[in-house]
Amino acid sequence: MTMASGQTHFHANAFSGFHGTVREGVALTDRRGMIKAGMAGLAGLSLPNLLQAREAAKKSGSSMGSHKSVILLWMAGGPSHIDTLDPKPYLSENKRGPFKSIPTTLPGVHVCEHLPKYAKLTDKLTIIRSVDARGSNHQPNQVMQTGNRAAAPRANREGSMYPAISSIVGQRYGVNHPGLPPSVHLNVRDKTHFAWGGWLGKQHDPFVGDNPAKLFQLPGDISINRLDDRRSLSQSLERLRRGIDQRGDIEAMNSFGQQAYDLVTGPRAREAFDITREPQKVRDSYGKHAWAQKALLARRLVEAGVSFVTIDLSNHRASGTWDTHGDKADGGVYGGIVSGLKPLLPVFDHLYSTLINDLNDRGLLDEVLVIAMGEFGRSPVMGTQAGFTGGRNHWPSVMSMTLAGGGFNHGQVIGASDRDGGQPGERPVTPGDLAATIYHHFGIPLDGTYEDHRNRPRYIVEEGRPLNELL
C-alpha cells in the first residue's frame, strides 16, 4: 500500500507473519543462533561459495574489485526532506516548517539550521533532492534497499523476495577479506526495517551484528570442541549425500569450508567487532550515543574487510524513529517535527560528520561510499493527517538523500523538488539509479541476473543507470 497524504498509518506491524521481531541471518548470541550458524553452513554466509568464486576469478586472471565498501545509514521511518536537506523558506509556515535554514559550503545551497556540521562538509557530499520513491513503504522497508519498486510486500505478495542490494553485493562482489562476512546489519530493531537475501536464499542474508560484545561468545555449554564436532558431522552427512566423490568436490568444500569456519572461531572478525580496541580518543570523538557507536563499528568493519554495512538509525521496533507524523493525544511514539525530528538532527549531524571526517583522515573515504537516506520523504503540508498535529505524513513522491566518498565526484546537488517540495521538479532519480550506482562502485556488471523461485532470470537492475553526475 502506497502511503500518501491523508491515508491511514498502521502503527502495529501488519505483517506479523514475517516474524518481524525474530532475528534473521546469523546472530551468534544464544544456542538458537549457533544452531542457525551450523545449519546454514557454519555462519550462513555462503562464504565457501564466495571464496570459490574469488579463487576462480584469480585463476582466470580477472579481478573481484579493490577494497570497495558501502556504509548505509538507514533513517528508518522516512526523514522529512523539507525540514532537513531541501528547505523551502519562502513558503507559509505550515509548509516550510518550524526550522530556519543555514548556508553550506556550496554557494546558494542551504540546509536545516540543526545540521551545522553537515553544512560544513557539503564540498565532500552530493545531495540528491529529486529521489522518486513511489511504491516505497515501511514495515517492510525494501524498495530503496533493493532498488526495485516491486519490492513492496504490502502491494506485491512476492515483494519480500527481491534481494537486498547488500545481498547482491555479497553474492557478486563478495568480501574484502575472507575472515569477515560480506554484509552486516547493525542495530536491528525490527526485521521489517531491512531487505534480505530473498530469492538469492537465506545464505545471502546479511550477518546480524546487534551485540558486538557478545557476538562471538559461544554459549556456556557450547565449546569450540562441540563446534568442531558439529562441523565434522556436517561434513560426514555431506559425504553420505554425495556418495563417492570422483572430482575432488569434497576436498574443495573442505578447503573453503575451513575458511568459513575460521569466521566463527578465528580472530579477525572478533577484533573487527570489538570497538574496545579502538583508541579512547577516537571513541570519545564519536560519543556515547548508540547510533554513533554503531557508526564507529561500521568504520571498523569496512576497514577490516566487510563490503556492506547497514545501520538502522532507529530507537524503536515500530515503523522507525524518523516517522514523524506528529504529536498525538494517546501518547504515540512518533512525535512531530519539533518534538520528534528536532532531537534527532543533532545526533545525526554529529555521527555523520564524525564518520565522514574519520574515514577521510584514515584515507578510506575514496573506497567507502556512505549513503544516508530513509524510505521516503514527508508531506509538503504539515498537520494534515487525521489525529496528528505538528507533523508530516508519508510522502513517496519525492525525498532527499546524501552520498559521500566512494571516489565519486562530490560537492554538488543533483536534481530539485518542485516549488512546494511535493514532486521531483528536475532530474528525477529512481531506486534503480541508486542500485546501479552502488553496483558501479563495486564493479558489478549491471546486466547480471539471478533466478526467482520459478527459475526465471531477473535483472539485478530493472529501472536505472549509474548517476552520471558522480562519474
Side-chain angles (χ1 to χ4, degrees):
M1 178 186 298
T2 300
M3 292 289 192
S5 177
Q7 291 183 292
T8 302
H9 172 73
F10 295 96
H11 298 275
N13 180 2
F15 290 83
S16 57
F18 284 80
H19 305 290
T21 60
V22 178
R23 289 181 181 179
E24 295 292 338
V26 180
L28 304 181
T29 58
D30 54 20
R31 182 192 299 272
R32 184 180 183 188
M34 184 55 65
I35 291 173
K36 281 186 179 182
M39 294 301 292
L42 285 170
L45 304 170
S46 193
L47 189 53
N49 290 338
L50 168 62
L51 294 167
Q52 285 176 311
R54 285 190 175 277
E55 186 71 13
K58 181 179 179 180
K59 289 181 178 179
S60 67
S62 60
S63 172
M64 294 289 283
S66 59
H67 198 94
K68 296 292 185 180
S69 57
V70 164
I71 296 175
L72 170 58
L73 302 173
W74 182 248
M75 305 161 83
S80 170
H81 55 295
I82 295 174
D83 300 292
T84 55
L85 305 182
D86 191 10
K88 305 290 185 180
Y90 46 80
L91 298 178
S92 59
E93 185 175 356
N94 71 323
K95 293 183 178 180
R96 71 171 182 262
F99 304 149
K100 298 178 181 178
S101 63
I102 56 174
T104 71
T105 56
L106 299 179
V109 177
H110 289 66
V111 296
C112 168
E113 63 179 317
H114 300 299
L115 298 173
K117 296 179 181 179
Y118 177 102
K120 293 178 180 179
L121 286 175
T122 50
D123 59 318
K124 296 183 176 65
L125 313 178
T126 293
I127 304 172
I128 306 178
R129 289 176 167 171
S130 56
V131 180
D132 177 357
R134 285 175 298 170
S136 182
N137 213 311
H138 55 209
Q139 286 193 281
N141 310 352
Q142 296 188 348
V143 168
M144 295 306 300
Q145 290 190 31
T146 62
N148 198 309
R149 294 192 197 279
R154 289 180 181 265
N156 177 10
R157 64 182 181 180
E158 295 183 343
S160 63
M161 299 308 296
Y162 288 84
I165 296 171
S166 60
S167 294
I168 294 286
V169 169
Q171 182 200 50
R172 300 298 173 108
Y173 173 81
V175 65
N176 288 308
H177 191 284
L180 288 157
S183 176
V184 174
H185 283 348
L186 297 176
N187 198 37
V188 181
R189 294 291 180 171
D190 193 312
K191 179 182 182 289
T192 65
H193 289 189
F194 297 90
W196 301 86
W199 277 310
L200 297 185
K202 289 284 186 183
Q203 68 270 30
H204 292 290
D205 276 353
F207 190 98
V208 177
D210 286 324
N211 193 337
K214 296 182 179 180
L215 190 62
F216 292 97
Q217 290 180 6
L218 302 184
D221 59 345
I222 295 182
S223 66
I224 293 296
N225 289 337
R226 288 188 63 187
L227 187 58
D228 284 332
D229 290 342
R230 178 176 287 128
R231 178 166 170 268
S232 297
L233 174 61
S234 175
Q235 291 173 336
S236 297
L237 291 174
E238 184 67 17
R239 287 188 176 93
L240 287 174
R241 186 181 71 81
R242 293 193 178 191
I244 298 175
D245 179 45
Q246 299 293 333
R247 299 176 301 164
D249 290 341
I250 291 175
E251 286 73 13
M253 181 195 70
N254 287 342
S255 173
F256 293 111
Q258 175 65 48
Q259 295 179 62
Y261 168 77
D262 287 343
L263 174 61
V264 178
T265 62
R268 188 172 183 88
R270 292 170 183 259
E271 293 178 2
F273 277 92
D274 185 2
I275 62 172
T276 64
R277 294 175 176 268
E278 200 70 29
Q280 190 63 45
K281 181 179 180 181
V282 176
R283 296 175 65 187
D284 290 344
S285 70
Y286 276 84
K288 295 182 179 180
H289 194 284
W291 297 357
Q293 290 293 295
K294 290 296 192 297
L296 173 57
L297 177 56
R299 192 271 288 160
R300 286 185 60 82
L301 292 175
V302 297
E303 189 173 31
V306 175
S307 300
F308 205 114
V309 181
T310 304
I311 310 173
D312 182 4
L313 299 186
S314 191
N315 293 323
H316 62 75
R317 301 168 70 179
S319 52
T321 304
W322 299 83
D323 198 20
T324 49
H325 286 273
D327 301 304
K328 195 174 182 182
D330 64 4
V333 299
Y334 299 98
I337 299 303
V338 172
S339 61
L341 179 63
K342 184 178 178 180
L344 302 180
L345 295 180
V347 176
F348 173 80
D349 192 43
H350 177 73
L351 79 84
Y352 184 82
S353 59
T354 303
L355 176 63
I356 298 300
N357 286 326
D358 191 18
L359 289 169
N360 189 56
D361 292 345
R362 301 175 80 87
L364 297 172
L365 194 55
D366 281 346
E367 298 294 319
V368 183
L369 174 61
V370 182
I371 305 168
M373 67 172 180
E375 56 268 42
F376 41 55
R378 313 300 296 189
S379 60
V381 179
M382 293 182 60
T384 57
Q385 186 177 2
F388 290 92
T389 60
R392 299 182 190 267
N393 200 0
H394 302 176
W395 200 260
S397 297
V398 68
M399 71 178 219
S400 297
M401 61 183 294
T402 307
L403 277 65
F408 290 118
N409 297 320
H410 293 297
Q412 61 177 321
V413 175
I414 294 178
S417 64
D418 63 10
R419 186 179 186 279
D420 293 333
Q423 301 289 332
E426 57 184 64
R427 181 57 170 103
V429 173
T430 70
D433 292 335
L434 174 64
T437 301
I438 294 173
Y439 297 144
H440 175 86
H441 171 64
F442 285 104
I444 297 173
L446 302 183
D447 59 354
T449 62
Y450 59 89
E451 291 186 349
D452 64 16
H453 63 297
R454 297 186 180 91
N455 298 320
R456 298 177 302 184
R458 292 178 179 264
Y459 286 101
I460 62 173
V461 177
E462 296 188 2
E463 181 199 4
R465 61 185 64 187
L467 296 170
N468 288 330
E469 294 91 336
L470 297 174
L471 306 182

